[in-house]
Amino acid sequence: MLKQLGKLERTRNIVILGFAVLMAVSLIFFYAPGRTASNLDPSRNTEVVAKVGSQTITVADLARVKENYMRLTGGRMFGQFGNRQFLDGLISKYVIMQEAERLGLAASNAEVAEKIRAQYKNASGELDVEKYKQSITAEYGDVEKFENDTRADISQQKLRAFLSASVNVSDEEVEEEFRRRNSSFNVSYISLTTDKLAAKIQPSDEELRSYFESHKTDYRFLEPQKKVRYLFINTDKAGSKLQISDADLKAEYDQLDPKFKEAGIKIQQIMLKVARQDLDAQVEQKAKDLIAKLRDAKGDATEQAFAEAAKGYSEDPATARNGGFLTAPFKKNPNKPHGLYDRAVDMHVGEVFDIPIRYNNNWYILRRGDSVPKTFEQAKQEILVSLRNRRGYGIAFQLAQKVHNRLKETKDPQKVAQEFAAEANMAPADMVRETAYIKPGDDVPNVGVNQQFEGSLVPLNNPNDVGEVTGIKDGFAVPMLLDKKEPRIPEFDEVKTKVADALKQQRAKEQIEQKAKDLIASLSGPGDLKAAGEREGFDSGLEEGFKRESTLGKAGASDILDDAIYNLKEGEITKTPIRLDDKWVILGLVKRENANMATFNSERDRIKMTMLRDRQAQVFEDYITAVQERMKRESKIKIYDDVLKRLDEAEPAAQPLPGLPGGLNFPGEG
């Protein structure tokens, strides 16, 4: 999946477009009832942020897209979707509308009316115009804009159909695609990266100084450096003496949302082993046949039917004798993703996954069972940790405020630490910390790269100035300025480590391709790659049963690698290293298992439809991208970056509070 997303990078606007146009038809121009008009309300701001031909995109248009995206995603805004990405989607929408009109493919009034009538007709098949207007006004806010967006959606469909009408996939291409997808390989590889090579390069002090002298301005400090001493309050220690009764814990448990009272879900599985690589396709087909027998029209199977199938077919003795059930309820852990069972959590109860899953060289069929409740006794320890963290956080913050007030009075961190050490449950020496000379963006020991901490230092300009309480890793800090250095070009010794890293990286980039070529010249066959890579300190390995779109160990996943592997013969090594972004890869083919053509006829139509759909989508995306580029060259697309910049500045990204405790994410925490 990650590789497929990577393929779409060059057509990001079109990807976002699909989402933007969908919302345009369904929700895009929503007005919240009763909203008060205001110049400060973006949804009423008519300032133009972009022009596409004769049409304009206003701040209000952009605001409504974002608002409805938030509504559709339950209030979640993801980092990759900022103002620019939403604007790109709207621009692409208007490009498509205008291109459709230019080609005589714009939606007619009759087509718009027909689509709306089909969507909003009553039980007797008629359109009640008044009810339709009331419904659109209540749900979307503006009938005219809704109808215009319906027109845009129809125009896009017509343009897409026009452009893809001549697209075809030959029988030979379908067969070749099947062969590529179902052939498997044992591949040895070496992945060379500049980081690994740079670690071996040891320039002399003379070379480092020479490099520094010729790149001095690269190391200029553009902002003041500040040396800070701060008092630290650890949230865990401040809250560790808290006494929390069983009654408090039970009350907390009783208030939990039901989803937090689940120990996990039951999962049934059927596992089919692949004894030899040449049997892989046969085992996969057996799994598909089993799925077809188990799934009803809704994609479900009864617990009993699946259990009987597991006892009869599953080759995992531990679960087969138990009707396929895992020995314990399964629960997703975002910190430890499970490649096999995570997907079952998103299925509905009774559902059987629609395709077999290849995992650890075996094929699996999964059925999701009921949720398993978590009793109070099972949840008690987790609730205790969470409640103690929450209350400890509050106690630590209140204590940090007292420390802040006292430090402003005394200007003596050591004295303040002595006074509050017992209350903080810390040794005075552990409370007093000191930084080197630091500037914004520096990775500060025990603090990290912390915007809140950096912000607390901004108003500190004179020695003994005390900053506000700020959250850092594991607690709170109260900073006091010791010294300040103005922007300047540093001395060599101050940046020696950075200079060394830069010079090593530069030399590694210059040498890595030749290093890869030298390695290839030293190899006699695929069996040599793993040992040679390890000897030279590079990532290397042997990947057995590799198939197209799989990940090749540390070398990663790429169409370029897939093609190179497919075109190798057994015993061959790539004649030249393959460049992938910042790495160079050497491949050797140890063994090849060609696709078993026995299942080709049953797969032919599905493969052809998939290839046709992908090719049609690519033709459409390439065409729209070219039209958009042409319009940019002709100055028919104009983006007002100053307006966009003001919008970005007015909407700072929400930052989680550093120092918040871990534990369960119970409602109301933090």
Side-chain angles (χ1 to χ4, degrees):
M1 177 61 73
L2 288 175
K3 188 168 77 172
Q4 292 302 317
L5 290 175
K7 290 180 181 178
L8 295 176
E9 183 68 22
R10 71 183 185 86
T11 52
R12 178 182 294 173
N13 288 353
I14 305 298
V15 175
I16 297 170
L17 159 72
F19 140 77
V21 171
L22 171 64
M23 288 198 303
V25 175
S26 58
L27 284 173
I28 210 164
F29 287 105
F30 170 82
Y31 284 96
R35 178 178 286 158
T36 303
S38 167
N39 290 334
L40 298 177
D41 183 357
S43 68
R44 300 294 180 87
N45 188 338
T46 58
E47 187 174 14
V48 175
V49 68
K51 287 184 178 180
V52 183
S54 60
Q55 293 175 300
T56 59
I57 299 173
T58 67
V59 172
D61 294 333
L62 198 57
R64 290 174 197 128
V65 174
K66 292 169 61 181
E67 180 180 342
N68 286 288
Y69 176 72
M70 295 285 281
R71 284 164 55 82
L72 286 169
T73 59
R76 298 183 297 274
M77 179 70 77
F78 301 104
Q80 67 267 36
F81 290 123
N83 286 312
R84 184 56 187 247
Q85 283 69 38
F86 284 107
L87 179 60
D88 287 345
L90 282 173
I91 288 172
S92 294
K93 169 192 162 186
Y94 285 122
V95 168
I96 289 173
M97 289 172 62
Q98 292 178 24
E99 184 64 8
E101 184 175 354
R102 187 183 72 84
L103 295 173
L105 298 170
S108 66
N109 290 338
E111 288 171 321
V112 174
E114 182 181 353
K115 181 165 185 175
I116 290 173
R117 188 176 293 109
Q119 195 173 351
Y120 289 93
K121 63 185 177 183
N122 56 27
S124 61
E126 299 297 325
L127 176 67
D128 187 324
V129 177
E130 288 306 316
K131 283 188 177 180
Y132 157 70
K133 289 181 178 179
Q134 290 172 10
S135 173
I136 295 300
T137 302
E139 193 169 358
Y140 308 119
D142 191 296
V143 173
E144 183 181 356
K145 288 186 180 294
F146 173 76
E147 292 180 352
N148 284 340
D149 289 324
T150 302
R151 187 183 306 277
D153 185 49
I154 296 171
S155 297
Q156 177 186 337
Q157 293 172 9
K158 291 173 71 174
L159 179 59
R160 185 184 291 271
F162 172 76
L163 293 173
S164 61
S166 61
V167 176
N168 197 11
V169 178
S170 69
D171 290 342
E172 291 77 12
E173 289 174 310
V174 175
E175 184 173 332
E176 178 64 12
E177 179 72 5
F178 178 85
R179 292 181 187 278
R180 283 178 173 268
R181 287 191 173 277
N182 292 281
S183 295
S184 64
F185 310 88
N186 291 354
V187 187
S188 55
Y189 70 91
I190 303 174
S191 177
L192 296 84
T193 59
T194 53
D195 288 343
K196 296 281 187 181
L197 184 57
K200 294 185 169 189
I201 298 172
Q202 298 298 327
S204 66
D205 272 6
E206 182 180 351
E207 290 173 315
L208 292 176
R209 287 184 181 276
S210 175
Y211 183 85
F212 173 70
E213 289 298 325
S214 60
H215 295 81
K216 271 187 176 182
T217 55
D218 294 347
Y219 299 95
R220 179 190 295 274
F221 294 141
L222 301 176
E223 300 181 66
Q225 289 178 291
K226 296 180 179 181
K227 187 178 180 68
V228 174
R229 184 173 293 149
Y230 64 94
L231 285 163
F232 172 64
I233 310 297
N234 185 292
T235 52
D236 286 344
K237 291 186 177 180
S240 62
K241 293 183 177 181
L242 281 172
Q243 297 300 315
I244 300 176
S245 68
D246 276 5
D248 287 343
L249 296 176
K250 184 62 167 62
E252 191 79 8
Y253 175 81
D254 291 340
Q255 293 174 11
L256 290 179
D257 187 288
K259 67 183 178 182
F260 293 112
K261 293 182 181 180
E262 292 181 359
I265 63 168
K266 293 180 180 179
I267 295 178
Q268 287 173 281
Q269 70 175 22
I270 297 172
M271 188 262 274
L272 302 177
K273 293 183 178 179
V274 180
R276 302 193 313 269
Q277 281 300 316
D278 61 310
L279 299 176
D280 185 73
Q282 184 178 330
V283 177
E284 180 184 8
Q285 189 58 46
K286 180 180 178 182
K288 289 178 179 178
D289 293 342
L290 268 174
I291 290 173
K293 290 179 182 178
L294 287 167
R295 281 167 58 95
D296 61 18
K298 295 181 180 179
D300 296 351
T302 65
E303 181 179 305
Q304 182 179 355
F306 198 97
E308 290 174 358
K311 290 175 182 177
Y313 294 100
S314 183
E315 298 176 70
D316 176 19
T319 59
R321 59 174 171 263
N322 192 33
F325 281 105
L326 302 187
T327 55
F330 176 80
K331 192 168 188 177
K332 260 187 184 180
N333 182 347
N335 298 316
K336 294 181 179 179
H338 196 289
L340 177 59
Y341 299 126
D342 275 359
R343 66 197 78 198
V345 177
D346 300 320
M347 294 157 58
H348 62 256
V349 175
E351 182 180 358
V352 176
F353 204 68
D354 60 351
I355 58 172
I357 304 160
R358 199 171 198 277
Y359 187 77
N360 286 344
N361 294 323
N362 300 312
W363 288 98
Y364 287 82
I365 303 169
L366 299 183
R367 177 188 179 273
R368 177 188 165 146
D370 295 322
S371 296
V372 179
K374 181 185 290 186
T375 65
F376 169 66
E377 288 301 323
Q378 290 173 318
K380 184 176 177 180
Q381 185 58 37
E382 291 176 341
I383 296 174
L384 175 61
V385 171
S386 177
L387 194 54
R388 177 167 284 150
N389 281 343
R390 256 191 294 154
R391 293 184 179 179
Y393 183 85
I395 288 171
F397 181 73
Q398 292 174 2
L399 177 58
Q401 291 288 2
K402 291 194 288 185
V403 167
H404 168 263
N405 294 336
R406 186 65 177 136
L407 184 59
K408 289 188 75 171
E409 293 174 1
T410 66
K411 308 294 185 182
D412 188 340
Q414 297 290 349
K415 181 178 181 180
V416 176
Q418 292 284 348
E419 292 177 10
F420 289 96
E423 193 173 347
N425 195 28
M426 296 175 68
D430 294 334
M431 292 180 65
V432 182
R433 294 178 175 179
E434 192 171 301
T435 72
Y437 284 94
I438 59 175
K439 64 183 187 308
D442 283 352
D443 189 350
V444 181
N446 299 314
V447 176
V449 180
N450 186 320
Q451 292 182 357
Q452 279 194 313
F453 185 75
E454 292 171 2
S456 71
L457 305 185
V458 170
L460 311 185
N461 292 302
N462 301 302
N464 295 333
D465 281 354
V466 176
E468 298 298 323
V469 174
T470 184
I472 63 170
K473 181 182 178 183
D474 298 328
F476 296 95
V478 182
M480 186 180 81
L481 183 67
L482 295 181
D483 192 22
K484 176 181 175 182
K485 291 182 178 180
E486 295 300 331
R488 63 200 167 85
I489 293 178
E491 297 297 321
F492 168 72
D493 288 337
E494 293 180 83
V495 291
K496 182 177 179 179
T497 300
K498 289 184 177 180
V499 171
D501 290 342
L503 181 54
K504 288 178 181 181
Q505 281 293 325
Q506 177 182 298
R507 290 189 175 175
K509 288 177 182 177
E510 294 168 352
Q511 298 172 14
I512 191 159
E513 182 179 7
Q514 187 58 49
K515 181 66 178 178
K517 290 178 179 178
D518 292 343
L519 263 175
I520 289 176
S522 71
L523 301 169
S524 58
D528 296 344
L529 268 72
K530 188 174 185 297
E534 291 173 350
R535 185 172 61 251
E536 294 292 334
F538 296 114
D539 295 318
S540 60
L542 172 65
E543 196 78 16
E544 296 185 342
F546 177 88
K547 283 192 170 184
R548 181 179 172 182
E549 296 186 355
S550 299
T551 299
L552 187 65
K554 296 290 182 69
S558 164
D559 285 340
I560 297 173
L561 287 180
D562 289 348
D563 291 341
I565 292 168
Y566 186 77
N567 291 322
L568 281 174
K569 296 177 182 178
E570 279 192 11
E572 275 191 339
I573 299 171
T574 46
K575 293 181 174 58
T576 57
I578 300 165
R579 184 170 187 175
L580 293 176
D581 298 324
D582 60 345
K583 67 173 76 77
W584 292 83
V585 181
I586 303 169
L587 300 171
L589 186 58
V590 178
K591 185 179 179 182
R592 178 190 193 102
E593 292 285 347
N594 289 321
N596 180 359
M597 300 303 292
T599 61
F600 172 62
N601 288 334
S602 64
E603 295 285 318
R604 184 200 308 268
D605 291 343
R606 182 185 63 80
I607 293 173
K608 185 166 187 174
M609 288 301 298
T610 300
M611 291 180 69
L612 187 61
R613 185 178 61 246
D614 291 346
R615 190 168 294 182
Q616 288 172 339
Q618 194 63 56
V619 166
F620 180 75
E621 290 165 6
D622 290 346
Y623 183 87
I624 296 304
T625 299
V627 171
Q628 193 160 319
E629 290 301 317
R630 187 196 73 221
M631 292 181 70
K632 287 179 181 177
R633 291 194 302 271
E634 296 172 354
S635 300
K636 291 181 179 179
I637 295 177
K638 171 67 175 175
I639 297 173
Y640 296 95
D641 291 316
D642 56 332
V643 178
L644 203 58
K645 182 179 179 181
R646 289 202 303 274
L647 287 176
D648 290 337
E649 291 173 348
E651 300 173 356
Q655 296 289 334
L657 283 176
L660 282 173
L664 291 180
N665 294 319
F666 290 120
E669 280 196 19

